[in-house]
Amino acid sequence: IEWYFNERYAEQIGPFCEGFRCVVGGSKLLRTLVTAEQLEKIICGVEEPMNLVAIRQTASVNGWSEQDKEYLEMFWDVVASFNQDECHRFAVFVSASTRTPLKGWTDFQLQVQKNGEGDERLPTAYTCFHLLMLPRYSSAEVLKTRLLQAIHETKGFGLN
């Protein structure tokens, strides 16, 4: 047990802890303003159910034309139909994390970029940028099937 919790990562965690203490360890102000639980939430984030309304408010779309407006509505409807587990997986797919951003889901800043057309293609994502590369599909059913297929096949970075 001692090895598992203390020695296994000692080489990596030692310099991290030293640096952390140098930056915030001596701050009396920080200790009076922030509890340990609050500091954990600031550093790690919290896991709250995805708020699609908040995400949609700040989302941007790239490469879509005026004629694609209906299709984008269909995309939002499909994501809104996801259950909690599917929403969780969607968040991991586009961001590699299930944690709520520090300022809440409005700070998620999802980008939905058009990525060609074709029912055989799968959506892809650039997680560092919360960028969803979404092909245009022929129907809502194909859109939902491909999106679910993509989000169920992802692993994220395993940092949650």
Side-chain angles (χ1 to χ4, degrees):
I1 291 176
E2 174 70 24
W3 174 84
Y4 187 83
F5 287 110
N6 296 321
E7 298 169 14
R8 179 169 66 155
Y9 298 113
E11 190 176 326
Q12 295 88 353
I13 202 73
F16 172 80
C17 290
E18 185 179 323
F20 186 82
R21 276 191 293 277
C22 286
V23 174
V24 295
S27 173
K28 291 180 184 178
L29 179 63
L30 181 65
R31 279 189 257 146
T32 59
L33 295 176
V34 180
T35 67
E37 292 82 16
Q38 291 169 325
L39 184 60
E40 178 185 10
K41 287 178 183 177
I42 290 169
I43 293 172
C44 300
V46 293
E47 199 166 314
E48 295 176 348
M50 190 172 81
N51 182 339
L52 189 60
V53 172
I55 291 172
R56 188 172 177 178
Q57 285 176 347
T58 58
S60 62
V61 293
N62 307 312
W64 301 93
S65 68
E66 193 63 33
Q67 291 80 19
D68 292 319
K69 242 182 178 174
E70 250 183 69
Y71 183 79
L72 288 169
E73 275 303 314
M74 188 170 61
F75 162 73
W76 291 113
D77 290 343
V78 164
V79 177
S81 75
F82 288 172
N83 63 37
Q84 187 139 350
D85 179 61
E86 292 164 342
C87 285
H88 177 91
R89 289 174 181 268
F90 178 78
V92 170
F93 181 70
V94 297
S95 71
S97 175
T98 59
R99 303 290 181 165
T100 307
L102 182 59
K103 296 178 185 175
W105 285 109
T106 53
D107 202 33
F108 193 72
Q109 298 180 346
L110 176 66
Q111 300 176 68
V112 182
Q113 183 166 320
K114 187 173 184 178
N115 190 24
E117 297 183 13
D119 288 352
E120 70 287 345
R121 304 179 71 186
L122 285 174
T124 54
Y126 292 92
T127 57
C128 292
F129 307 104
H130 297 183
L131 174 61
L132 174 65
M133 304 292 290
L134 185 67
R136 184 176 171 101
Y137 298 110
S138 61
S139 68
E141 294 77 28
V142 175
L143 170 60
K144 186 170 186 173
T145 299
R146 293 291 180 252
L147 198 49
L148 287 173
Q149 184 180 2
I151 67 176
H152 282 284
E153 299 282 332
T154 193
K155 295 287 184 201
F157 290 114
L159 300 175
N160 299 320

